[in-house]
Amino acid sequence: MSRALIIVDVQNDFCEGGSLPVKGGADVAAAISEYVDTHHNQFDHVVATQDWHIQPGDHFAEQPDFVDTWPPHCVAGTRGAELHPDLDTEYIDAYFQKGQYTAAYSGFEGVLAPEDAVPTGERKPGGAPLVEDAEAFAADEDAIGLDDWLQSHDVEDVVVVGLATDYCVMATALDAVQAGYSVTVMRELTAGIAPDLDDAYAEMELGGVDLA
């Protein structure tokens, strides 16, 4: 049995200064880096997810309701879609990009990105792939999903951290339970949109997620 850490959407647009910031997002990026540096030997694999929007339809809106529609964010090939520079990527084995042409909250909707198509905070400006490249990658029928990748690496136990607690973290954790994994969400390594996250925590626990 293998154990994996899933780092959800720790991207520039979801941190302070981005187009859809989560309060405390940058602090979460730094805290995850510190945690992984100290505890990476407790995991067989570390993976990260990214919102990676090309034409996500009505997921974007000029007058968003901040429930089902949102301001443009994490557009493929832009700095906003890059991983936050305070997130240390040294131990990340694979990246899964989601939401190319529709809303996508769960990391289990993502597909494996080629190693040369993952923009991170450590890349120099101009290093991000062109949107045309992203479109070709997203259209690849042979793209590997997160569940396929975890199964191929014999993962049975996952720990989920990242942004935002009440949206993509929760969706990823609940999908992981549905896929048959043992799932833990580390509350101190997440940050949420709602001021009170009790409902999100309750929904995760009801869905079979352990909270730490």
Side-chain angles (χ1 to χ4, degrees), residues 66-88:
F66 294 91
V67 177
D68 298 310
T69 59
W70 307 90
H73 59 275
C74 298
V75 174
T78 68
R79 183 182 180 279
E82 294 179 4
L83 299 174
H84 191 275
D86 288 344
L87 180 67
D88 186 351

Side-chain angles (χ1 to χ4, degrees), residues 36-103:
V36 174
D37 187 55
T38 305
H39 298 91
H40 63 89
N41 58 348
Q42 297 179 12
F43 297 94
D44 300 285
H45 307 285
V46 179
V47 301
T49 72
Q50 290 173 284
D51 257 11
W52 193 248
H53 297 308
I54 297 171
Q55 294 289 343
D58 59 9
H59 185 56
F60 288 173
E62 291 184 4
Q63 296 181 322
D65 61 16
F66 294 91
V67 177
D68 298 310
T69 59
W70 307 90
H73 59 275
C74 298
V75 174
T78 68
R79 183 182 180 279
E82 294 179 4
L83 299 174
H84 191 275
D86 288 344
L87 180 67
D88 186 351
T89 61
E90 177 181 358
Y91 297 103
I92 297 177
D93 301 310
Y95 301 82
F96 295 84
Q97 296 174 339
K98 58 188 174 65
Q100 286 87 343
Y101 297 102
T102 186

Side-chain angles (χ1 to χ4, degrees), residues 128-207:
L130 296 173
V131 171
E132 288 83 356
D133 296 334
E135 289 177 347
F137 152 60
D140 184 357
E141 294 181 357
D142 297 323
I144 298 170
L146 176 57
D147 187 33
D148 293 331
W149 193 94
L150 294 173
Q151 288 191 44
S152 71
H153 289 80
D154 299 319
V155 172
E156 296 184 12
D157 182 16
V158 300
V159 174
V160 183
V161 300
L163 305 172
T165 311
D166 40 344
Y167 282 90
C168 295
V169 168
M170 181 168 68
T172 300
L174 291 174
D175 274 1
V177 172
Q178 290 298 311
Y181 300 95
S182 173
V183 184
T184 301
V185 168
M186 300 189 67
R187 284 177 284 194
E188 291 186 357
L189 297 180
T190 70
I193 293 174
D196 186 344
L197 295 171
D198 286 348
D199 287 347
Y201 293 146
E203 185 172 347
M204 284 191 278
E205 287 188 311
L206 186 63

